[in-house]
Amino acid sequence: PQETCKNLTLRLTASNNTKSVTKNLKLTITGEAPKFLTSSLPDAKTGEFYSRKIEVSGTPKIIVKASGLPKGITFDGDFISGTPTQKGKFNVNFTAENGIKKVSKKIKFNVFSAPEISTTELPAGTLKKSYKFTVNASGTKKITFVSSGLPKGLKFSNAGKISGKANEAGSFDVRITAKNSIGEASKTFKLIIK
């Protein structure tokens, strides 16, 4: 549909050595108001390059701007792109303007992240004494854990909790893996039971 912007008045003056003539002319600019054709954005992952074109229609030339993007993502007027460093759920506000009309659209943009195990070491334990410790990881929820290499008597839950009483002493290489819907991360710890 054609839409009309406000009328403009042009004042033209023509002159020579003997006379000057001035005339006002009305100028009406017509065109099509901007319309966003992009209605959603695919999810992104932290640490992975992302690029998506924002489609709009309308005439004359449309200028599109964006605000509310996560860190690492920029907008050049056509594409949002970059490598996100910030996870979360974002409401990105796009505006499109072409002199005929200015329109806005909010689009949800989700950035997910694979787990990262933040625990740096496992505390030492004592033979046949109660042991409790929780391994921590950051990343998009829900995160589940698996482990291997624990001494007999200790058990490991999928929430990252180590508990029980060790039935054997020594130095144990315990490998812990954290998983979510995006990916997984593993780390090997040295557990000392005295």
Side-chain angles (χ1 to χ4, degrees):
Q2 296 290 309
E3 296 198 26
T4 303
C5 79
K6 62 181 180 180
N7 292 323
L8 302 176
T9 300
L10 299 179
R11 186 177 178 85
L12 301 177
T13 301
S15 60
N16 59 21
N17 292 334
T18 59
K19 191 173 183 183
S20 178
V21 178
T22 299
K23 188 167 187 180
N24 291 335
L25 298 176
K26 287 190 175 180
L27 175 65
T28 300
I29 300 175
T30 60
E32 185 179 346
K35 180 181 179 182
F36 283 96
L37 303 179
T38 299
S39 59
S40 63
L41 292 170
D43 297 336
K45 299 177 186 178
T46 56
E48 289 188 11
F49 182 77
Y50 182 94
S51 182
R52 178 73 172 188
K53 184 174 176 63
I54 303 301
E55 302 277 359
V56 292
S57 65
T59 57
K61 180 174 172 62
I62 301 168
I63 297 173
V64 184
K65 297 179 180 179
S67 61
L69 290 165
K71 292 177 182 177
I73 297 288
T74 59
F75 182 66
D76 65 3
D78 287 312
F79 286 86
I80 63 168
S81 61
T83 303
T85 59
Q86 180 183 13
K87 69 180 174 85
K89 296 183 178 182
F90 303 88
N91 286 313
V92 183
N93 188 47
F94 292 95
T95 60
E97 189 172 9
N98 67 350
I100 303 297
K101 193 173 183 181
K102 180 178 182 179
V103 296
S104 298
K105 186 174 186 69
K106 282 189 185 290
I107 301 178
K108 291 182 178 181
F109 183 41
N110 297 323
V111 180
F112 297 120
S113 65
E116 185 174 337
I117 297 173
S118 52
T119 297
T120 58
E121 62 181 6
L122 299 180
T126 303
L127 184 66
K128 296 185 179 179
K129 295 286 187 182
S130 179
Y131 184 96
K132 287 184 180 179
F133 185 76
T134 300
V135 176
N136 293 310
S138 61
T140 299
K141 309 300 181 190
K142 178 184 180 181
I143 298 174
T144 58
F145 296 84
V146 293
S147 75
S148 62
L150 283 171
K152 292 179 181 178
L154 294 184
K155 58 185 179 179
F156 189 78
S157 76
N158 63 6
K161 295 180 179 180
I162 304 172
S163 62
K165 295 178 181 180
N167 293 328
E168 51 186 340
S171 177
F172 302 87
D173 289 326
V174 180
R175 185 167 179 81
I176 294 175
T177 300
K179 301 179 180 181
N180 66 7
S181 60
I182 308 302
E184 63 180 56
S186 296
K187 191 182 279 191
T188 300
F189 298 91
K190 189 74 72 176
L191 174 59
I192 306 296
I193 302 294
K194 299 176 182 178

